[in-house]
Amino acid sequence: MAPLFRLPLLATLTALTALAALTAPAASARPAASDPPTRTAAAEPDLGAARAQWIDAGTLAWQTDAPSAAQELRYAADGGLALAGGELTGRSRTIRLTRDPDGLSAAQLARFPQLKGYAAFTVDPRDRAREKEALRGQLVAVQRDAHGALLDATGVQTQGVLDDLYAARAEHAPLGPVFGRDGTPTLSVWAPTAQHVGLTIGGRTVSMRQDPADGVWSVRGERSWTGRPYRYDVTVWAPSVRKVVVNEVTDPYSTALTADSRQSLLVDLDDPRLAPKGWARQRKPAAVPMSRAQIQELHIRDFSADDPTVPVRDRGTYTAFTDRSSAGMTHLRQLARAGITHVHLLPAFDFATVPEQAAEQTTPDCDLGSYGPASDRQQACVTAQQATDAYNWGYDPYHYTVPEGSYATDPRGPARTVQFRQMVQGLNDAGLRVVMDVVYNHTSAAGEAPTSVLDEIVPGYYQRLMPDGSVATSTCCADTAPENAMMGRLVVDSVVTWAKEYKVDGFRFDLMGHHPKANILAVRHALDRLTLAKDGVDGKNVILYGEGWNFGEVADDSRFVQATQANMAGTGIATFSDRARDAVRGGSPFDADPGVQGFASGLYTDPNSSTSQGTVAEQRARLLHYQDLIEVGLTGNLREFRFTDSTGRQVTGGEVDYNGAPAGYADAPGDALAYVDAHDNESLYDALAYKLPAGTPAADRARMQVVAEATAALSQGPALYQAGSDLLRSKSLDRNSFDSGDWFNAVHWTCRDGGSTDGFGRGLPPAADNRDKWPYATPLLNDPAITPSCAQIAGASAAYQDLLRIRGTEPAFHLTTAAQVQRQVSFPLSGTGETPGVITMRAGDLVVVLNATPRRQDQRIDALAGTRYALHPVQAAGADPVVRTASYAAATGTFSVPARTAAVFERTR
């Protein structure tokens, strides 16, 4: 299978506008998504496109100004409609249309705002009885002049009318496998446009029956069917190939699969045989609200693939989390004791790009360790076989509600269900709740492609379509359309299944801004209805967060109110905040020169040799503005928080500029999720490798890593960290390691001096996404001074864990309302006199000083003169000898903090 391109998402909004209209429409080279498509008055007839949209039972919308005298819908159950000699040919039936001079109604435009400017055509009431029949075949919208000559003809999009005719009933109909009390299964699939659906199971095919009211096909089976593979045989008109096809397709509501997802497997998830020992009585770590969540982001294979303390059979699998004595589980327990509350697992649902059976997986045919630290041989060997190896991040969904088979020791049956549950148990027993990364915004394929599922059952419905009927791909792949009722329902049903049947404690929504806000709120509502007594889980304790980016064909609420950063404020569902992240790291992942610096990488205070940073004065001004952004981030990215910015103005967080958008967008702590390091783009250590001056010793690089992490750890609201970041994790400068194999991705939990123990120096990163950075990367990878020692790695982790302990035990970091933050948090030295490279914050009885400069800094707060403070007991007794040299002079209210250090002081009585 071809490798999947994964768009790096650690970009600034400005950088992504060039790719997908991320910010305001004016900043994009493309027309705004809400503008009608630019076309001539009379388009050329084209049955391969679908420019007309049947939006409800009574209305067709069409962007046309053609002076037609007559218009109609033509339909043919067996297809065959074509254009020849300027005329429509083929046998068909007709549904008459009348142009509505008033256009689309206000209610219709509220439902479909992207259709502003479209003409409206009303379905003749006499033909309404044949609409469902018409939807089961080829559909063509036709316009003719007064003489009957063809003016235009196009295919028809049908998502709106399918919702109007079927959704009210279908949204409540059972789907997928449902088992009766006696163990008898019933299988149901929503396929309203299908001409026939059969079920192939146990060597025979059984016809299914359709309920005409809801479009659901179902069949009641026999108890002997349980455990058997099955598939649906769907006879349906497929617009992508313009013919009637019989699709042999798996169940989109599958609960289990055979190896490589070739067939669904009829399994009852409540079968006691699928429950590991103690599953029904599994004790969860104490729940915390979203605002207090501290999250480690972890890829299942990265966790153990290169861990020699894990048995070979279990490496890279769910079962690696069951070995309490392994180095990885030992470290996770340490983090849990320090204050980490959740492990966020990168996609663990069934995805399309990895062979699931170990015997069919390849490995690099090279001695990767024999090449030099900046050789191009490692990446060549890894990429030569990456299409068939065991590695991928997994952002290519195949079946949304089944565990991925390649992470199971045996993918051929329901073992993956048992082992996923064992993984949850192992993490829970280590003191960690479990978050799943879910990717409902796209599918791995659409149309008649081998890994297409939804589009083979109801073609053109589950995928989001562009004005010409093509499938939108702004997410990287075939976009889904959760604004359509049954796709929205699938999202809700899938999340609830993971929460109930697998005891998952949270969900991170990939590209959440491509979902309607209403869809994500429906997920929240459905989870809130789950109770321990009824469902075995307390759904109110399940946390939700996601990527609230605003780009693509849905940008600026052009199709619906999106689940974007600003729109989700006040819902209790967090969005990743890129504001402080960019300020801490500096620059953009798309910079031609990766050396552009930020607060934690030496901007102005420790300049490197980059020529892309402007004058010294410009660097100073940019650094101070970055400090404004970080200070807003430390409040939880609050919109209404008032403080003095670096120009001396009294501003709110929402008035601080972030690339033309408000920096502050949150209504309360918990609306924004702080982070400086995640799976996308260079790891934090690699970013600092590019940005810190070339001669910076590894010991100082380690200290800057901790300062960067402190901006998230000591902020209000939740924070997320890439697993291994505390261990100075490197991916050898790979900016997009989604398919770079274990060699570049594995987390190294144990350390051995003399090797690339953090992952740095494992060769040049793969050429596909990094070749243009090789001239910058080569001297860095060849420099042994950049590779940290075991002592430096251990020290960085210990210092990070100290910050977690402080955060976890101090009420000043657990504020829940904007009013509390305004009262208790301040930046007493902000303004025109603020020290470049130093942020000083008061939080209740604490004073935090983040010194990102290469020299000791004194911060004098006159208002505190005579007040007693001391270094926080956790740091005073901690593992970092440098922070222990921080001091406070009560007579003058002066805090003295060593270079490259995050220090917390506590008021003493």
Side-chain angles (χ1 to χ4, degrees), residues 1 353-355 360-363 384-391 739:
M1 288 174 273
T353 45
V354 169
E360 298 175 3
Q361 297 168 353
T362 60
T363 57
Q385 50 77 65
Q386 66 187 170
T388 52
D389 69 5
Y391 197 88
D739 203 15

Side-chain angles (χ1 to χ4, degrees), residues 624-676:
L624 289 171
H625 184 66
Y626 277 169
Q627 291 178 206
D628 290 341
L629 292 173
I630 294 168
E631 287 164 5
V632 173
L634 288 166
T635 73
N637 232 65
L638 294 177
R639 187 194 336 251
E640 297 299 330
F641 181 85
R642 298 197 66 83
F643 74 114
T644 304
D645 74 3
S646 56
T647 69
R649 297 183 305 135
Q650 280 287 311
V651 297
T652 64
E655 291 170 340
V656 176
D657 177 70
Y658 172 72
N659 298 325
Y665 63 81
D667 288 345
D671 286 347
L673 184 144
Y675 74 115
V676 293

Side-chain angles (χ1 to χ4, degrees), residues 213-363:
D214 58 21
V216 173
W217 297 75
S218 60
V219 62
R220 189 171 188 268
E222 303 164 4
R223 294 180 64 180
S224 62
W225 287 6
T226 300
R228 293 187 175 183
Y230 72 96
R231 68 167 188 263
Y232 297 125
D233 302 323
V234 182
T235 304
V236 67
W237 168 261
S240 62
V241 292
R242 294 173 60 187
K243 63 181 180 181
V244 175
V245 296
V246 179
N247 286 323
E248 299 176 355
V249 61
T250 47
D251 191 341
Y253 274 73
S254 294
T255 55
L257 296 159
T258 62
D260 295 316
S261 312
R262 293 188 180 95
Q263 296 185 81
S264 301
L265 198 61
L266 187 52
V267 164
D268 183 356
L269 293 178
D270 292 330
D271 188 332
R273 292 172 295 181
L274 302 183
K277 184 179 179 181
W279 181 245
R281 302 179 305 280
Q282 180 63 32
R283 296 186 62 181
K284 290 281 181 184
V288 297
M290 186 71 231
S291 61
R292 293 186 61 177
Q294 295 289 293
I295 305 164
Q296 284 273 313
E297 180 199 60
L298 178 62
H299 183 276
I300 289 172
R301 190 165 178 85
D302 292 355
F303 172 70
S304 61
D306 195 41
D307 186 349
T309 68
V310 173
V312 172
R313 172 183 167 84
D314 294 334
R315 292 178 194 171
T317 72
Y318 302 121
T319 55
F321 293 88
T322 66
D323 186 350
R324 289 179 51 84
S325 64
S326 74
M329 287 305 296
T330 299
H331 193 75
L332 289 184
R333 283 197 305 277
Q334 290 174 355
L335 293 177
R337 287 194 293 268
I340 291 297
T341 60
H342 293 75
V343 163
H344 159 160
L345 299 172
L346 265 65
F349 51 76
D350 181 56
F351 53 83
T353 45
V354 169
E356 291 188 340
Q357 300 190 78
E360 298 175 3
Q361 297 168 353
T362 60
T363 57

Side-chain angles (χ1 to χ4, degrees), residues 474-816:
S474 63
T475 60
C476 78
C477 315
D479 293 8
T480 60
E483 64 269 29
N484 296 340
M486 296 304 285
M487 182 62 212
R489 176 191 165 174
L490 176 56
V491 173
V492 175
D493 289 347
S494 178
V495 168
V496 168
T497 298
W498 286 112
K500 284 181 58 175
E501 302 293 348
Y502 292 93
K503 302 185 189 296
V504 172
D505 306 294
F507 297 89
R508 176 266 196 192
F509 285 85
D510 183 69
L511 297 186
M512 189 169 72
H514 270 53
H515 287 256
K517 177 180 179 180
N519 178 232
I520 303 301
L521 292 179
V523 170
R524 177 75 273 166
H525 182 63
L527 289 171
D528 288 348
R529 293 199 302 266
L530 302 180
T531 66
L532 280 170
K534 177 172 61 73
D535 307 291
V537 296
D538 185 348
K540 290 184 172 65
N541 289 333
V542 175
I543 63 171
L544 300 179
Y545 57 98
E547 295 178 307
W549 317 134
N550 176 39
F551 70 99
E553 74 283 348
V554 300
D556 304 315
D557 298 332
S558 60
R559 294 196 179 210
F560 43 77
V561 176
Q562 300 160 260
T564 47
Q565 289 171 323
N567 289 344
M568 296 307 290
T571 65
I573 299 168
T575 55
F576 285 85
S577 175
D578 43 1
R579 278 66 166 155
R581 175 207 70 190
D582 288 352
V584 170
R585 292 168 69 110
S588 155
F590 295 106
D591 291 336
D593 177 357
V596 177
Q597 294 175 291
F599 173 80
S601 55
L603 177 61
Y604 178 69
T605 65
D606 194 15
N608 59 27
S609 60
S610 171
T611 60
S612 304
Q613 305 201 90
T615 66
V616 171
E618 289 170 338
Q619 291 181 47
R620 184 180 191 277
R622 188 164 73 253
L623 173 57
L624 289 171
H625 184 66
Y626 277 169
Q627 291 178 206
D628 290 341
L629 292 173
I630 294 168
E631 287 164 5
V632 173
L634 288 166
T635 73
N637 232 65
L638 294 177
R639 187 194 336 251
E640 297 299 330
F641 181 85
R642 298 197 66 83
F643 74 114
T644 304
D645 74 3
S646 56
T647 69
R649 297 183 305 135
Q650 280 287 311
V651 297
T652 64
E655 291 170 340
V656 176
D657 177 70
Y658 172 72
N659 298 325
Y665 63 81
D667 288 345
D671 286 347
L673 184 144
Y675 74 115
V676 293
D677 194 17
H679 65 277
D680 280 314
N681 302 295
E682 292 93 350
S683 72
L684 179 58
Y685 194 81
D686 286 345
L688 295 178
Y690 274 131
K691 297 172 187 296
L692 287 168
T696 306
D700 287 342
R701 294 175 183 275
R703 299 198 65 79
M704 292 299 267
Q705 181 107 350
V706 177
V707 170
E709 290 169 331
T711 64
L714 302 180
S715 68
Q716 301 296 326
L720 176 142
Y721 318 86
Q722 182 177 204
S725 186
D726 64 306
L727 300 172
L728 310 182
R729 180 184 183 183
S730 169
K731 299 180 183 180
S732 207
L733 303 177
D734 191 351
R735 65 180 295 270
N736 190 21
S737 67
F738 78 99
D739 203 15
S740 298
D742 298 330
W743 179 253
F744 289 101
N745 281 288
V747 179
H748 306 284
W749 302 108
T750 54
C751 189
R752 179 178 58 83
D753 282 328
S756 56
T757 54
D758 68 335
F760 196 81
R762 294 172 78 82
L764 286 166
D769 290 304
N770 301 279
R771 185 185 292 275
D772 60 332
K773 301 299 189 298
W774 282 5
Y776 300 94
T778 298
L780 296 172
L781 294 170
N782 274 323
D783 184 357
I786 295 179
T787 300
S789 68
C790 292
Q792 289 157 356
I793 290 171
S797 181
Y800 164 74
Q801 292 181 49
D802 284 346
L803 294 174
L804 291 178
R805 290 186 184 94
I806 292 171
R807 180 200 172 91
T809 56
E810 290 293 345
F813 296 119
H814 306 157
L815 307 180
T816 58

Side-chain angles (χ1 to χ4, degrees), residues 818-851:
Q820 289 176 343
V821 176
Q822 189 69 68
R823 286 194 303 270
Q824 297 197 47
V825 175
S826 64
F827 301 94
L829 300 182
S830 65
T832 56
E834 186 169 32
T835 305
V838 183
I839 292 173
T840 300
M841 175 179 71
R842 293 187 67 183
D845 288 336
L846 305 176
V847 172
V848 176
V849 180
L850 304 177
N851 179 9

